[in-house]
């Protein structure tokens, strides 16, 4: 088992077990409050505590919004990061979002909200709870349409100027991932776990020490409780605590700010020892809010970057002389389903979360574009009888909840998978991003700035560049030498409906187009080398049909009757692939520095300095998203969000194991490890 395939526990988290009681009774997460509210309030059976009661939004306004001076602070913020322990019913997030919309009308400003939740509500329970807050109904409706599935790890969703990052899992697991990101600094914290007496794990000194590591001198913090032990735990972690009037019948609550002079003695030195030095991002300098970024490439990689960078508060410009979605991203349909492994690993985590991320993104566009995606379901079939057990192991590995994945006679059934129109998705993701309809000819680094020289000879200044142009990135010195190769694929579009049954994937695939008007079958895999003419052939169309016939006789007979004498349109494109079939996503290493700093890997260990193994060094302002292979539609949006976070120092939607897995320097390090030192000649 490789270093990136270490087994971890199953990833499906337990949702909250609830009962319901009138919303104007009980305590609001441990605090009595006044005021009636419509509907019922959820009660957490496991913690013997209620999520909210009475006028929940009014209590949130007092305990969290006003106590952190958010009406004033948000009004003038260009970028603001809120952290929360205890996502619960999402009431705090919805209230903060609504406040942001009321007080801040700067179109370039961004609100980032991060929260940790161990036992999330189901979407049905959330919708029922949200009925108690009619004033927040528009916000609750948007959130419910992309409600995260109960899978451990990060879930990222953007609503215009507001980005929510939710970590599902244990509180210390989430905080340890954050503290490994050295550049993070929160503006305020909401402490909203259940009552300390009933949920003590959320209120320990270790938790508050982790918060301290993520704090800056201007940070504020508030919570509904005024318990003496909580005050002492906060003070021991470096916070200056005040007891102030509480809400309703609760006399007191806590607000606090950070005492930066105490950090050296109070912060728990929790480090992420799993991140190798060469993959460390601590030498990256975050780009300022509003920085201008050049994106080279107008396919799904470039389009995903447009969306992610705008959401992060950056200003992207796209360069592509061939036009958007001119390459493989211009196909009429693409499968949106995850790749699974037989055990939990960083690789399986990556593909599962990338799929969930892309599905949420697609769902946000479906109201305005109903035929963008068809949720027809996909059966991942076994090509040989002996594969059946392997697929069942995947279903039993706990990677996805049963309502998303289950074993069937023919293999694995992904109920919410389907096919998307890549061309329309690319257009949605690019949005209003400026487009330069020329290819970038050269990248010039000049005193901290990045100059893009276009084909017409003119240069355009930027703060950073991302190479997202597939194999063509090898034409630039920054990416030259990366082990990228090409693969030609042909798919065929038949002018007849596929039928009312799931799409089939077994290497090749067959399914409906997103508008359900035609049938798509593909795709071939053929080697490609620079200079090859890429064209469609009758031979490859026959190969696609024969692949189905060899695999599934019933499917072949069904389609054969439908496809006879039907007009067919074929399309061929070049996929860009890596040696390990995983994307390259992140900052481009300084190759000379890597050679000097890590040459010791050829002898078993990298060179050490007095300060230890040096952290990775990178080419200024240079990033890459390439090598997406045949799964770019699924993986590009997630990778783009990760790169945007690396650029800005914001919260990445991936832990360090996934970021290391996709790191552009991994092949350089592997080559060093495989090399043998030369023996001196005698």
């Amino acid at each position: 088992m490789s270093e990136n395939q270490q087994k971890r526990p199953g990833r499906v988290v337990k949702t909250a077990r609830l009962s319901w009681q009138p919303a104007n009774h009980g305590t609001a997460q441990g605090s009595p409050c006044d005021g009636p509210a419509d509907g019922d309030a959820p009660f957490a059976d496991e913690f013997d505590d209620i999520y909210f009661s009475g006028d929940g939004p009014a209590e949130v306004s007092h305990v969290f919004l006003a106590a952190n001076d958010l009406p004033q602070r948000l009004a003038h913020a260009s970028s603001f990061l809120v952290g929360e322990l205890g996502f619960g019913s999402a009431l705090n997030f919805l209230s903060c979002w609504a406040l942001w919309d009321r007080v801040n009308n700067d179109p370039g400003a961004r609100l980032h909200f991060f929260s940790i939740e161990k036992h999330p509500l189901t979407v049905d329970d959330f919708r029922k709870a949200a009925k108690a807050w009619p004033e927040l109904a528009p916000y609750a409706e948007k959130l419910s349409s992309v409600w995260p599935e109960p899978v451990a790890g990060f879930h990222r969703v953007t609503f215009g100027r507001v980005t929510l990052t939710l970590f599902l899992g244990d509180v210390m697991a989430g905080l340890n991932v954050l503290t490994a990101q050295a550049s993070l600094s929160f503006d305020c914290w909401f402490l909203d776990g259940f009552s300390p007496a009933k949920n003590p794990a959320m209120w320990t000194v270790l938790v508050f020490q982790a918060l301290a590591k993520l704090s800056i001198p201007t940070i504020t913090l508030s919570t509904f409780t005024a318990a003496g032990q909580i005050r002492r735990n906060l003070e021991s972690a470096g916070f200056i605590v005040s007891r102030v009037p509480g809400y309703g019948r609760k006399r007191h609550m806590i607000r606090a700010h950070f005492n930066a002079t105490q950090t050296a003695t109070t912060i728990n030195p929790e480090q992420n020892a799993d991140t190798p030095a060469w993959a460390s991002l601590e030498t990256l300098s975050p780009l300022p809010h509003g920085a201008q970024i050049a994106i080279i490439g107008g396919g799904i990689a470039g389009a995903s970057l447009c969306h992610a960078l705008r959401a992060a508060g950056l200003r992207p410009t796209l360069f592509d002389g061939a036009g958007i979605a001119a390459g493989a991203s211009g196909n009429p349909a693409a499968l949106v389903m995850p790749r699974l492994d037989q055990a939990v690993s960083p690789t399986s985590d990556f593909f599962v979360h990338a799929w969930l991320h892309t599905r949420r993104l697609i769902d946000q566009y479906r109201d305005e574009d109903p035929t963008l995606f068809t949720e027809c379901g996909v059966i991942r079939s076994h090509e040989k009888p002996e594969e059946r057990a392997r697929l069942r192991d995947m279903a039993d590995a706990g990677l996805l909840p049963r309502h998303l994945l289950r074993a069937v006679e023919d293999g694995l059934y992904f109920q919410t998978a389907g096919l998307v129109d890549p061309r329309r998705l690319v257009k949605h993701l690019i949005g209003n991003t400026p487009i330069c309809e020329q290819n970038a000819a050269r990248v010039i680094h000049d005193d901290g700035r990045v100059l893009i020289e276009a084909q017409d000879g003119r240069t355009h200044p930027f703060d950073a560049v991302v190479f997202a142009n597939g194999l063509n990135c090898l034409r630039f010195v920054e990416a030259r030498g990366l082990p990228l190769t090409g693969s030609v694929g042909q798919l065929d579009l038949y002018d007849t409906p596929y039928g009312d049954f799931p799409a089939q994937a077994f290497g090749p695939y067959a399914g409906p187009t997103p508008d359900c008007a035609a049938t798509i079958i593909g795709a071939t895999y053929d080697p490609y080398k620079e200079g090859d003419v890429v064209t469609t052939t009758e031979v490859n169309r026959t190969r696609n049909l024969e692949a189905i016939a060899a695999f599934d006789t019933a499917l072949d007979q069904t389609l054969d009757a439908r496809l006879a004498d039907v007009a067919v349109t074929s399309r061929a494109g070049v996929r860009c692939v890596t040696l390990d079939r995983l994307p390259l996503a992140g900052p481009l290493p300084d190759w000379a520095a890597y050679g000097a700093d890590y040459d010791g890997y050829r002898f078993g260990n990298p060179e050490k300095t007095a300060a230890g193994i040096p952290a990775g060094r990178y080419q200024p302002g240079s990033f890459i998203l390439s090598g997406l292979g045949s799964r770019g539609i699924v993986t590009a949006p997630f990778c783009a969000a990760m790169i945007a976070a690396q650029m800005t120092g914001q919260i990445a939607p991936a832990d360090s194991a996934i970021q290391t897995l996709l790191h552009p320097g991994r092949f350089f390090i592997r080559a060093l490890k495989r090399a043998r030192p030369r023996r001196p000649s005698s």
Side-chain angles (χ1 to χ4, degrees):
M1 185 172 292
S2 72
E3 62 179 339
N4 285 326
Q5 300 293 325
Q6 298 299 315
K7 288 187 176 181
R8 294 191 280 181
R11 307 300 278 164
V12 178
V13 300
K14 184 173 67 173
T15 55
R17 188 175 70 252
L18 303 181
S19 55
W20 296 83
Q21 58 183 248
N24 58 347
H25 290 86
T27 62
Q29 303 224 6
S31 59
C33 62
D34 297 318
D38 296 329
D40 292 335
F43 185 88
D45 294 340
E46 182 173 351
F47 296 99
D48 189 31
D49 208 350
I50 202 165
Y51 285 83
F52 65 89
S53 66
D55 190 344
E59 182 178 22
V60 170
S61 179
H62 177 87
V63 174
F64 296 113
L65 306 184
N68 287 284
D69 300 318
L70 293 194
Q72 295 75 30
R73 296 169 72 190
L74 293 183
H76 306 291
S78 59
S79 181
F80 200 90
L81 176 56
V82 178
E84 177 188 54
L85 303 186
F87 189 65
S89 64
L91 176 56
N92 296 342
F93 167 64
L94 298 178
S95 299
C96 193
W97 180 6
L99 174 64
W100 173 261
D101 279 354
R102 288 197 303 271
V103 303
N104 189 307
N105 58 11
D106 178 359
R110 297 292 184 268
L111 173 66
H112 304 273
F113 194 101
F114 170 78
S115 187
I116 296 177
E117 177 59 52
K118 187 173 184 178
H119 300 303
L121 269 62
T122 66
V123 65
D124 289 338
D125 284 338
F126 166 69
R127 288 178 176 140
K128 183 175 181 180
K131 291 179 180 179
W133 327 309
E135 65 271 44
L136 297 174
Y139 299 95
E141 183 178 357
K142 290 179 182 179
L143 179 57
S144 68
S145 70
V146 289
W147 190 257
E149 297 289 351
V151 177
F154 288 97
H155 299 259
R156 168 76 53 82
V157 61
T158 297
F159 306 95
R161 300 184 307 139
V162 176
T163 295
L164 168 67
T165 304
L166 179 61
F167 181 88
L168 298 184
D170 180 77
V171 62
M172 282 308 303
L175 291 175
N176 284 342
V177 173
L178 291 189
T179 54
Q181 301 182 35
S183 60
L184 281 179
S185 55
F186 285 77
D187 293 291
C188 75
W189 281 95
F190 300 167
L191 304 190
D192 202 21
F194 291 111
S195 167
K198 299 174 180 179
N199 185 26
M202 190 74 86
W203 305 91
T204 67
V205 173
L206 288 179
V207 167
F208 298 150
Q209 287 175 342
L211 298 187
K213 188 172 183 181
L214 297 162
S215 296
I216 57 176
T218 57
I219 198 171
T220 60
L221 175 154
S222 67
T223 180
F224 61 86
T225 184
Q229 187 60 53
I230 304 306
R231 295 201 308 271
R232 290 187 290 274
N233 287 353
L234 282 167
E235 287 168 348
S236 70
F239 291 92
I240 299 174
V241 179
S242 301
R243 194 171 65 160
V244 298
Y247 178 78
R249 294 191 300 271
K250 186 164 180 62
R251 294 181 58 191
H252 297 107
M253 55 171 276
I254 286 174
R255 60 176 296 176
H257 64 276
F258 191 53
N259 181 2
T261 61
Q262 290 186 237
T263 59
T265 58
T266 61
I267 293 177
N268 180 41
E270 184 72 46
Q271 300 294 334
N272 194 333
D274 295 332
T275 303
W278 59 265
S280 170
L281 303 177
E282 65 184 68
T283 62
L284 286 180
S285 297
L287 293 171
H289 184 82
Q292 299 187 67
I293 315 298
I295 301 170
I296 300 176
I300 186 61
S304 298
L305 286 161
C306 289
H307 178 272
L309 296 182
R310 289 199 315 271
L314 302 175
R315 297 164 58 192
T317 298
L318 193 66
F319 286 80
D320 199 317
I324 63 173
S329 299
N331 289 337
L335 275 176
V336 181
M337 63 175 287
R339 180 189 122 183
L340 295 183
D341 288 346
Q342 289 174 269
V344 174
S345 68
T347 300
S348 62
D349 276 355
F350 163 60
F351 280 111
V352 164
H353 278 283
W355 175 57
L356 294 173
H357 182 97
T358 298
R359 271 306 322 265
R360 289 192 296 268
L361 197 57
I362 289 171
D363 285 344
Q364 289 184 289
Y365 295 120
R366 290 176 74 185
D367 282 345
E368 60 182 285
D369 193 353
T371 59
L372 172 67
F373 176 77
T374 176
E375 192 176 286
C376 57
V378 177
I379 293 179
R380 166 65 171 93
S381 306
H382 46 78
E383 299 180 64
K384 301 176 182 178
E386 55 266 29
E387 285 192 75
R388 182 175 301 175
R390 185 173 69 87
L391 293 183
R392 288 191 177 275
D393 285 345
M394 291 181 183
D396 295 336
L399 304 176
L400 286 168
R402 293 292 182 184
H403 68 276
L404 296 182
L405 168 67
R406 68 176 188 269
V408 294
E409 181 63 27
D410 295 328
L412 299 178
Y413 179 49
F414 297 90
Q415 182 171 328
T416 59
L419 289 97
V420 71
D421 186 330
R423 301 161 299 186
R424 284 150 62 191
L425 180 59
V426 163
K427 290 179 180 178
H428 283 301
L429 293 171
I430 291 175
N432 60 2
T433 301
I435 300 175
C436 180
E437 295 181 349
Q438 291 194 50
N439 288 327
R442 189 161 62 110
V443 176
I444 304 166
H445 297 272
D446 181 29
D447 194 25
R449 296 285 281 171
V450 174
L451 304 179
I452 305 298
E453 182 181 297
Q455 283 180 313
D456 62 4
R458 291 191 294 179
T459 59
H460 307 265
F462 293 92
D463 297 292
V465 60
V466 192
F467 299 93
N469 53 339
L471 281 176
N472 288 329
C473 71
L474 298 178
R475 298 178 181 178
F476 295 87
V477 66
E478 290 84 352
R480 198 166 295 156
L482 287 169
L484 294 169
T485 58
S487 169
V488 180
Q490 176 176 319
L491 53 80
D492 307 301
L493 185 69
Y494 293 85
D495 190 18
T496 187
Y498 174 75
D500 189 19
F501 48 91
Q504 296 275 347
F506 43 90
Y509 66 92
T513 53
D515 60 4
C516 297
T519 296
I520 191 163
I521 299 176
T524 57
Y525 282 82
D526 294 306
Y528 170 84
K529 63 180 184 294
E530 184 72 24
D532 283 354
V533 176
V534 178
T535 184
T536 61
T537 67
E538 186 70 18
V539 170
N540 281 337
R541 185 176 72 84
T542 302
R543 286 172 60 195
N544 279 332
L545 290 173
E546 288 176 345
I548 294 175
F551 169 73
D552 191 321
T553 303
L555 177 63
D556 175 55
Q557 291 174 347
T558 300
L559 291 179
D560 190 51
R562 291 177 180 270
L563 304 183
D565 301 320
V566 168
V568 58
T569 303
S570 299
R571 194 175 191 279
V574 179
R575 314 174 186 93
C576 178
V577 298
T578 63
L579 297 175
D580 59 8
R581 299 300 188 266
L582 292 167
L584 295 172
L588 278 166
D590 180 330
W591 303 115
Y594 261 50
D597 292 341
Y598 307 122
D599 185 62
Y601 275 122
R602 295 190 299 115
F603 304 94
N605 291 291
E607 299 293 338
K608 290 188 178 182
T609 66
I613 302 172
R617 291 186 276 173
Y618 301 96
Q619 301 178 55
S622 300
F623 295 77
I624 191 169
L625 176 52
S626 188
L628 299 175
S630 59
R631 300 179 181 273
I633 289 292
V634 173
T635 59
F638 180 86
C639 291
M642 187 183 79
I643 290 172
Q646 293 170 347
M647 284 184 168
T648 58
Q650 295 169 2
I651 298 169
D655 63 20
S656 61
I658 292 176
Q659 294 188 67
T660 300
L661 184 76
L662 307 180
H663 194 283
R666 65 185 186 270
F667 294 110
F668 189 98
I669 299 299
R670 291 174 193 175
L672 287 178
K673 290 180 177 180
R674 287 194 300 267
R676 294 289 184 268
R678 295 181 180 178
R679 294 180 180 276
S681 58
S682 56

